[in-house]
Amino acid sequence: MAQKKYLQAKLTQFLREDRIQLWKPPYTDENKEVNLALKDLAKKYSDKLECCENEVEKVIEEIRCKAIERGTGNETYKTTGIATIEVFLPPRLRKDRKSLLETRLHITGKELRSKIAETFGFQENYIKIVINKKQLQLGKSLEEQGVKHNVKAMVLELKQSEEDVRRNFQDEEEEQNEARLKEKRIQRTKRGLEILAERAEMVVDPDTTPYLDIANQTGRSIEIPSSERKALMLAMGYHEKGRAFLKRKEYEIALPCLLDADRYFCECCTELLDTVDNYAVLQLDIVWCYFRLEQLECLDDAEKKLNLAQKCFKNCYGENHQRLVNIKGNCGKEKVLFLRLYLLQGIRNFHSGNGEEASAYLNKARQLFKELYIDPSKVHSLLQLGFTAQEARLGLRACDGNVDHAATHIASRREELAQIRKEEREKKRLRLENINYLKGMGYSTHAAKQALHQASGSLDDALRILLSNPQMWFSDSDSETNSHQESPSQENIDQLVYMGFDTAAARAALRVFRGNVQLAAQTLAHNAGSLPADLQLAVEDAPSTPSTSPSDSAGTSSASTDEDMETEAVNEILEDIPEHEEDYLDSTLEDEEIIIAEYLSYVENIKSASKKN
């Protein structure tokens, strides 16, 4: 298959260079049938490529037929508005994996999915359609989603089967159940990640509530602007989930997660993406996933993604990995990423007919594999010392295969990470205590978090900021509530008057702070017995309403059920988030070794090809 793609790409190059239009005479007659001139062309190109003339003629004829189909589709689209979509089917449908489908572009994604399912024999609810590297949205029209004439659509089948159509009813029912479970897993993934991302903005106890945090290359938490934090959390969460599916070779479920991760990463600023290697690794994972799905030709910008990854690595690691060496002391582990980068660049060039470039990249990948290969006996030695296989591989690559140095490196890294995690948890616990202290004084959670952020965590400074800026005390929801303020009780007014404040000022302050005597007293005292001007306006504009009973907003019995479902969704995410912070750098390289050898053999076959056939 790969060799045929190479031949197709090479012949397409020759046709373009020679400006040959196969759909016109002398290669095609008026009835769109092939002419004898095509045989002469096949002879010319087979001599040039030193390969079988019959095979070249067969591939040129396929290119000619496709060109005629495309031309017919273009004419149809111009005259009727009916577009042609090139549908790439799953690997199990090997006889005819690529087909054309005609449709109007005003239909919805759901209608297109139904049409594809009916045309190619899928069960509609168990397929996903990917167009332009995005999942097709069922509720929007194709036009709204940027779907155009001659676009490529890839079908992902949620059920996995190698059996033929003659499966019995029981087998089909089992597959349907499997597909339902996979779809539920995708939905739970989405919900679990949203919950964990939301918790990053909340105040949670680090000892009792799971949450996600963003750390730098040393393992320490880093501050991210709140406007981008949630998007980055979701991007990294979807990426980790996608990587977990990649490890299990569940590529058809991994790809939607990876594409969602790419979408959320694009909401972050370029400066941020240039400073972390996550985005570069994601580009590699997306291209790798398309390759393993045998649908690399669906990814029109594979070259762009690989170049972006290379640029990102350079920005993040520095020239010749110098910045990385300065931070970590070595760059052995990160070479795994470059091995996969070179391998994918080699594969892409081969599929594009660039034999020399493919050979160069594949040989670079092979050289890196030799450097990164680990003697199993050395891994065993480290296992005997109580380290994990993952720690052993990472340690040995960081220390150029020296077992003693690797053992010291792993032990040192363990201690360093344990200390960092302890310090980070302590910081989060202290922040929680400070927020709760300010809440105990009557301030809202929003105000407490904002003040502590501005005060760089100092409780005393946060208090001064709050007293000087009473407008901070209310979140948006507080402001909406203040538009219907409760009438303060006489008892609370009397307390403030007893402290020496004016009755009118006391009543106004209590209305602003919804009966909180402590906050009202602090504000009046800080502002010489009166409310600041902006708070006075709020009092004048807001009508009074009687207080409501807490029972009016009581929850329903479904709350506990929802909580259980959320817990299940979160736990499913946490199961797939690796404990080791360098998990993405760990690989046995078993798959890479096989693929490098396979594609190098293709390149060698091309070089040694002759007319023997």
Side-chain angles (χ1 to χ4, degrees):
M1 180 64 74
Q3 290 167 302
K4 184 179 179 180
K5 286 179 180 177
Y6 173 85
L7 184 57
Q8 286 174 333
K10 206 69 184 171
L11 290 171
T12 301
Q13 283 181 10
F14 292 161
L15 292 168
R16 284 175 182 163
E17 289 168 3
D18 296 341
R19 297 186 177 181
I20 289 175
Q21 297 176 320
L22 291 174
W23 61 94
K24 292 182 178 180
Y27 308 104
T28 300
D29 64 21
E30 59 186 12
N31 297 318
K32 297 184 179 179
E33 296 295 328
V34 63
N35 270 336
L36 290 175
L38 191 134
K39 278 189 172 293
D40 297 332
L41 189 66
K43 173 97 169 51
K44 172 186 173 182
Y45 288 156
S46 65
D47 288 343
K48 194 172 182 179
L49 290 169
E50 296 185 338
C51 63
C52 175
E53 183 179 332
N54 288 337
E55 185 64 27
V56 170
E57 183 180 348
K58 182 179 176 182
V59 173
I60 292 177
E61 171 60 5
E62 288 178 4
I63 295 172
R64 188 190 73 87
C65 290
K66 184 176 178 181
I68 291 172
E69 282 182 346
R70 194 176 184 91
T72 304
N74 290 342
E75 287 299 319
T76 302
Y77 181 63
K78 285 178 184 177
T79 56
T80 67
I82 297 176
T84 300
I85 293 178
E86 195 172 5
V87 181
F88 289 75
L89 303 172
R92 72 178 181 86
L93 301 173
R94 294 189 179 276
K95 287 186 179 179
D96 187 17
R97 293 185 50 210
K98 186 169 59 178
S99 302
L100 300 180
L101 184 74
E102 292 186 337
T103 182
R104 294 193 180 275
L105 298 178
H106 62 73
I107 68 171
T108 64
K110 189 176 190 308
E111 290 172 312
L112 177 63
R113 186 181 71 169
S114 300
K115 197 168 186 177
I116 289 174
E118 182 181 354
T119 304
F120 301 108
F122 295 107
Q123 296 183 33
E124 181 181 343
N125 292 331
Y126 306 135
I127 59 172
K128 287 187 178 293
I129 314 298
V130 175
I131 298 178
N132 296 330
K133 304 178 293 298
K134 296 177 183 176
Q135 285 188 68
L136 189 68
Q137 297 182 47
L138 301 182
K140 291 185 177 181
S141 73
L142 302 185
E143 289 174 323
E144 289 177 302
Q145 299 180 66
V147 177
K148 297 180 180 178
H149 174 58
N150 282 333
V151 77
K152 295 177 180 178
M154 182 171 71
V155 179
L156 295 175
E157 193 174 19
L158 294 182
K159 59 181 181 181
Q160 293 177 314
S161 174
E162 296 294 333
E163 296 177 303
D164 57 27
V165 182
R166 294 172 294 181
R167 289 179 297 231
N168 60 39
F169 176 79
Q170 184 178 358
D171 289 337
E172 290 184 357
E173 188 173 26
E174 288 175 358
E175 286 192 348
Q176 290 177 28
N177 290 335
E178 181 186 354
R180 289 191 193 99
L181 288 173
K182 288 184 176 181
E183 179 61 26
K184 285 181 180 178
R185 285 165 72 188
I186 291 172
Q187 295 304 320
R188 282 200 303 271
T189 293
K190 181 179 180 181
R191 182 59 191 138
L193 286 170
E194 286 174 348
I195 293 168
L196 287 167
E198 287 164 5
R199 285 181 183 173
E201 300 298 318
M202 296 164 58
V203 184
V204 297
D205 186 343
D207 291 327
T208 60
T209 309
Y211 66 96
L212 292 181
D213 204 359
I214 301 174
N216 60 19
Q217 290 171 331
T218 65
R220 295 193 180 276
S221 297
I222 53 177
E223 288 294 326
I224 303 292
S226 57
S227 59
E228 297 182 12
R229 187 177 180 84
K230 185 173 181 180
L232 188 57
M233 284 281 190
L234 287 169
M236 295 174 72
Y238 273 114
H239 190 189
E240 288 295 348
K241 193 67 179 178
R243 287 185 62 252
F245 288 127
L246 281 180
K247 286 181 183 178
R248 297 194 284 267
K249 302 187 186 302
E250 297 183 69
Y251 303 112
E252 73 286 350
I253 306 181
L255 185 58
C257 290
L258 298 175
L259 294 177
D260 279 337
D262 198 32
R263 176 165 59 90
Y264 281 111
F265 266 124
C266 289
E267 294 180 17
C268 301
C269 66
T270 308
E271 292 78 10
L272 179 62
L273 298 183
D274 282 343
T275 59
V276 294
D277 61 2
N278 306 73
Y279 191 50
V281 176
L282 175 64
Q283 304 312 304
L284 293 185
D285 287 339
I286 289 174
V287 179
W288 181 258
C289 198
Y290 271 95
F291 168 65
R292 298 302 276 174
L293 284 166
E294 301 178 30
Q295 301 281 26
L296 200 54
E297 57 191 309
C298 280
L299 190 61
D300 293 328
D301 65 345
E303 181 180 11
K304 180 182 174 183
K305 284 190 173 296
L306 294 174
N307 289 340
L308 177 60
Q310 192 161 18
K311 177 189 171 187
C312 235
F313 285 139
K314 183 178 178 181
N315 291 338
C316 187
Y317 298 157
E319 196 71 45
N320 299 320
H321 307 163
Q322 193 55 50
R323 179 170 175 267
L324 185 65
V325 172
N326 292 339
I327 293 172
K328 288 188 170 183
N330 65 81
C331 62
K333 293 171 283 189
E334 280 72 15
K335 287 181 180 179
V336 167
L337 302 176
F338 288 90
L339 184 151
R340 180 164 289 188
L341 172 64
Y342 298 147
L343 173 56
L344 288 171
Q345 287 174 321
I347 292 169
R348 192 208 66 78
N349 273 285
F350 185 81
H351 286 193
S352 300
N354 304 322
E356 291 184 9
E357 291 88 341
S359 178
Y361 279 119
L362 290 168
N363 278 304
K364 285 175 76 173
R366 180 169 62 177
Q367 183 57 41
L368 263 183
F369 174 80
K370 291 177 180 178
E371 288 181 33
L372 295 170
Y373 174 76
I374 296 172
D375 185 343
S377 65
K378 293 182 178 181
V379 175
H380 182 71
S381 298
L382 290 170
L383 290 176
Q384 296 294 99
L385 296 175
F387 300 122
T388 67
Q390 183 178 67
E391 287 177 320
R393 285 189 293 270
L394 291 169
L396 286 166
R397 285 178 181 146
C399 299
D400 297 322
N402 186 300
V403 175
D404 292 335
H405 291 172
T408 304
H409 173 83
I410 298 169
S412 175
R413 186 60 181 152
R414 275 187 176 184
E415 291 176 8
E416 182 184 353
L417 277 176
Q419 182 60 32
I420 289 173
R421 286 170 181 160
K422 181 181 177 182
E423 291 172 4
E424 292 297 325
R425 294 178 77 83
E426 188 57 37
K427 278 169 56 178
K428 189 147 185 101
R429 190 178 295 106
L430 179 60
R431 180 172 179 268
L432 175 62
E433 289 174 0
N434 288 342
I435 288 172
N436 286 335
Y437 180 84
L438 293 174
K439 285 173 65 179
M441 296 180 67
Y443 298 108
S444 69
T445 302
H446 173 79
K449 287 171 64 177
Q450 191 177 9
L452 283 166
H453 177 73
Q454 291 184 19
S456 301
S458 169
L459 182 59
D460 292 338
D461 290 345
L463 276 169
R464 279 193 286 273
I465 290 170
L466 286 167
L467 288 171
S468 302
N469 301 276
Q471 69 276 7
M472 288 176 55
W473 302 358
F474 306 106
S475 62
D476 293 339
S477 59
D478 293 332
S479 298
E480 292 173 10
T481 306
N482 283 342
S483 65
H484 295 284
Q485 294 159 341
E486 299 175 9
S487 298
S489 69
Q490 188 59 46
E491 181 183 353
N492 288 346
I493 294 173
D494 291 342
Q495 282 189 53
L496 291 178
V497 171
Y498 182 77
M499 295 178 194
F501 299 115
D502 177 72
T503 301
R507 181 179 285 105
L510 287 167
R511 284 186 65 189
V512 169
F513 299 111
R514 301 196 298 281
N516 189 310
V517 176
Q518 192 170 5
L519 284 184
Q522 287 177 5
T523 305
L524 292 172
H526 191 73
N527 292 277
S530 62
L531 281 176
D534 52 350
L535 294 184
Q536 286 181 17
L537 289 173
V539 175
E540 292 168 3
D541 293 341
S544 297
T545 59
S547 59
T548 57
S549 167
S551 61
D552 293 342
S553 58
T556 66
S557 59
S558 66
S560 60
T561 304
D562 292 341
E563 189 176 335
D564 290 341
M565 292 175 65
E566 289 190 352
T567 301
E568 181 183 348
V570 168
N571 288 341
E572 194 165 299
I573 294 295
L574 295 175
E575 286 173 5
D576 282 329
I577 292 181
E579 290 186 15
H580 202 291
E581 78 287 354
E582 292 181 328
D583 177 82
Y584 72 104
L585 301 175
D586 175 44
S587 173
T588 61
L589 299 180
E590 292 173 356
D591 289 344
E592 286 83 351
E593 180 183 16
I594 294 169
I595 295 167
I596 289 170
E598 178 186 351
Y599 273 82
L600 279 173
S601 72
Y602 295 156
V603 171
E604 194 57 39
N605 288 341
I606 290 167
K607 287 180 179 178
S608 60
S610 65
K611 285 189 172 182
K612 285 190 279 187
N613 297 323

